[in-house]
Amino acid sequence: QLQLVESGGGLVQPGGSLRLSCAGSGFTLDYYAVAWYRQAPGKDREGVSCISYPGRNTKIAGSVKGRFAISRDNINNIVYLQMNSLKPEDTAVYYCAATRNPGSGACSIALDRGRYDAWGQGTQVTVSS
């Protein structure tokens, strides 16, 4: 089973920044669209952002638009989520997911979990003073 590895989470004060990374464990992200999701305690999973391969198309959720940005380094096989101006409501476990079949939009932040070929274990982001 393919596995992704996220890193970069942590505790940050409101207004601060973090950069999350997502890499394949034992496989490359070539030809995979990659998405970031998050889930806060007691809440449903929320799609945050996605990026197609090789990176021409991206999507971003309205709740983070203007603050978060997704990018990918196809040489080093890493997808990043840059998070700026963090707010307490951004506190959640952040997951990355990869699929070679993202549908018609080149990438999506609204796919069922089973549509992805790989998921990560998640990285905790806590925004608090």
Side-chain angles (χ1 to χ4, degrees):
Q1 185 174 356
L2 298 178
Q3 186 75 33
L4 298 170
V5 179
E6 303 99 336
S7 61
L11 173 63
V12 63
Q13 292 187 341
S17 297
L18 285 173
R19 188 177 74 164
L20 305 184
S21 299
C22 172
S25 178
F27 73 103
T28 71
L29 294 177
D30 291 351
Y31 305 107
Y32 284 93
V34 177
W36 286 96
Y37 289 84
R38 67 185 182 184
Q39 189 162 21
K43 293 189 177 181
D44 291 335
R45 185 188 68 175
E46 177 188 13
V48 176
S49 187
C50 67
I51 188 165
S52 64
Y53 182 83
R56 295 189 188 90
N57 301 98
T58 63
K59 289 186 175 70
I60 192 90
S63 58
V64 302
K65 195 170 186 178
R67 301 187 297 121
F68 290 14
I70 193 169
S71 62
R72 65 190 301 160
D73 176 350
N74 293 328
I75 294 175
N76 293 302
N77 292 293
I78 300 175
V79 173
Y80 298 104
L81 184 68
Q82 179 67 42
M83 306 187 297
N84 300 324
S85 302
L86 282 161
K87 303 176 181 180
E89 50 264 44
D90 295 318
T91 295
V93 178
Y94 285 70
Y95 301 89
C96 63
T99 178
R100 286 190 169 184
N101 184 24
S104 60
C107 79
S108 173
I109 52 173
L111 295 181
D112 290 339
R113 184 179 180 89
R115 287 282 302 275
Y116 290 96
D117 301 302
W119 282 87
Q121 296 289 341
T123 185
Q124 176 71 45
V125 171
T126 302
V127 185
S128 175
S129 54

